[in-house]
């Protein structure tokens, strides 16, 4: 049920003419078609866009702070799917330092989990309302050097799904791993993506 099939939609410009690639990861109950439209707000024009579709519209069955074994094998399957996609992008001539990630909610958690388990100099990452995955953070899973990869993490306070404390803890770990992290907390913001977040993400991650 929760082994994710390779079902990836693309948009933007063709890979052979693209300067960069963006991997969009949707939230629980949403779709690849929804999240890829975020680029209408990010307005990145020189990128090929990818959005994998989770089986049953969910990357893993329980909340991101459930014991990790309860979210298996779905979580490992999701991480493997992203890893395969990134390898394919690089094999087609776009280097890791031009590969970007953008996720919302469950997709934001997955974004942070993937890049932190596979730290490198990426183009950048945006986690709209997310944190590292697990009942507690197992710091030993995250090694490597982000080499100043820009990472933008945001959330509302309070958020019904993502505690501010986990967002801050996640941001601190990425900083320790040499990412250039900006954590932004919006008092009273509902579980969505707001225009100020989009503007900040554009500036910080895409320098637009």
């Amino acid at each position: 049920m929760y082994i994710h099939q390779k079902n990836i939609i693309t948009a933007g410009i063709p890979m052979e003419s693209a300067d960069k690639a963006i991997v969009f990861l949707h939230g629980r109950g949403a779709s690849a078609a929804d999240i890829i439209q975020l680029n209408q707000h990010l307005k990145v024009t020189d990128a090929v866009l990818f959005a994998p579709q989770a089986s049953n519209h969910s990357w893993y069955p329980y909340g991101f702070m459930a014991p990790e074994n309860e979210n298996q094998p779905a979580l490992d399957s999701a991480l493997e799917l992203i890893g395969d996609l990134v390898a394919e992008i690089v094999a087609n001539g776009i280097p890791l330092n031009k590969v970007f990630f953008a996720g919302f909610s469950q997709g934001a958690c997955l974004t942070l989990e993937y890049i932190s388990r596979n730290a490198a100099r990426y183009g950048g990452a945006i986690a709209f309302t997310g944190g590292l995955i697990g009942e507690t953070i197992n710091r030993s899973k995250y090694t490597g050097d982000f080499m100043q990869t820009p990472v933008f993490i945001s959330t509302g306070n309070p958020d019904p799904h993502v505690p501010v404390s986990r967002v801050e803890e996640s941001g601190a770990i990425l900083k320790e791993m040499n990412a250039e992290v900006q954590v932004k907390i919006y008092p009273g913001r509902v579980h969505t993506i707001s225009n100020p977040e989009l503007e900040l993400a554009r500036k910080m991650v895409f320098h637009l």
Side-chain angles (χ1 to χ4, degrees):
M1 173 184 174
Y2 268 110
I3 301 299
H4 302 290
Q5 304 303 313
K6 185 178 177 185
N7 179 9
I8 299 167
I9 65 169
T10 60
I13 63 175
M15 181 112 77
E16 56 272 16
S17 28
D19 179 52
K20 53 178 73 86
I22 310 174
V23 176
F24 288 93
L25 295 168
H26 67 75
R28 187 188 299 275
S31 71
D34 294 334
I35 192 76
I36 210 164
Q37 290 177 33
L38 254 190
N39 198 51
Q40 291 173 9
H41 303 281
L42 293 172
K43 303 184 179 84
V44 182
T45 56
D46 57 351
V48 55
L49 315 178
F50 298 92
Q53 175 63 53
S55 301
N56 307 304
H57 299 275
S58 185
W59 292 111
Y60 40 85
Y62 300 106
F64 84 111
M65 289 176 69
E68 191 182 310
N69 64 318
E70 292 182 11
N71 275 320
Q72 297 295 10
L75 176 58
D76 281 351
S77 174
L79 292 167
E80 185 181 349
L81 182 71
I82 299 165
D84 289 349
L85 174 57
V86 170
E88 201 174 303
I89 291 166
V90 172
N92 277 279
I94 295 177
L96 273 185
N97 67 359
K98 296 285 188 179
V99 177
F100 294 77
F101 301 85
F104 171 62
S105 193
Q106 197 189 48
C109 298
L110 195 57
T111 294
L112 293 174
E113 190 69 18
Y114 176 79
I115 65 169
S116 299
R117 291 194 192 193
N118 301 278
R121 180 53 165 105
Y122 296 108
I126 302 165
F128 291 121
T129 312
L132 291 168
I133 294 172
E135 186 174 21
T136 55
I137 291 180
N138 177 359
R139 182 66 178 83
S140 65
K141 283 192 302 194
Y142 312 117
T143 58
D145 186 346
F146 278 114
M147 295 177 270
Q148 293 293 292
T149 296
V151 180
F152 177 76
I153 311 173
S154 63
T155 193
N157 184 21
D159 183 87
H161 306 289
V162 182
V164 167
S165 57
R166 177 58 64 95
V167 172
E168 291 174 333
E169 194 182 355
S170 302
I173 288 170
L174 271 76
K175 273 185 189 159
E176 283 171 18
M177 296 169 71
N178 197 22
E180 184 191 327
V181 181
Q182 182 169 358
V183 174
K184 191 76 179 162
I185 294 154
Y186 296 88
R189 193 216 64 191
V190 296
H191 192 71
T192 187
I193 302 172
S194 65
N195 282 324
E197 287 166 89
L198 287 158
E199 283 304 310
L200 262 180
R202 284 185 78 226
K203 283 183 189 143
M204 184 196 170
V205 176
F206 292 106
H207 309 295
L208 293 172

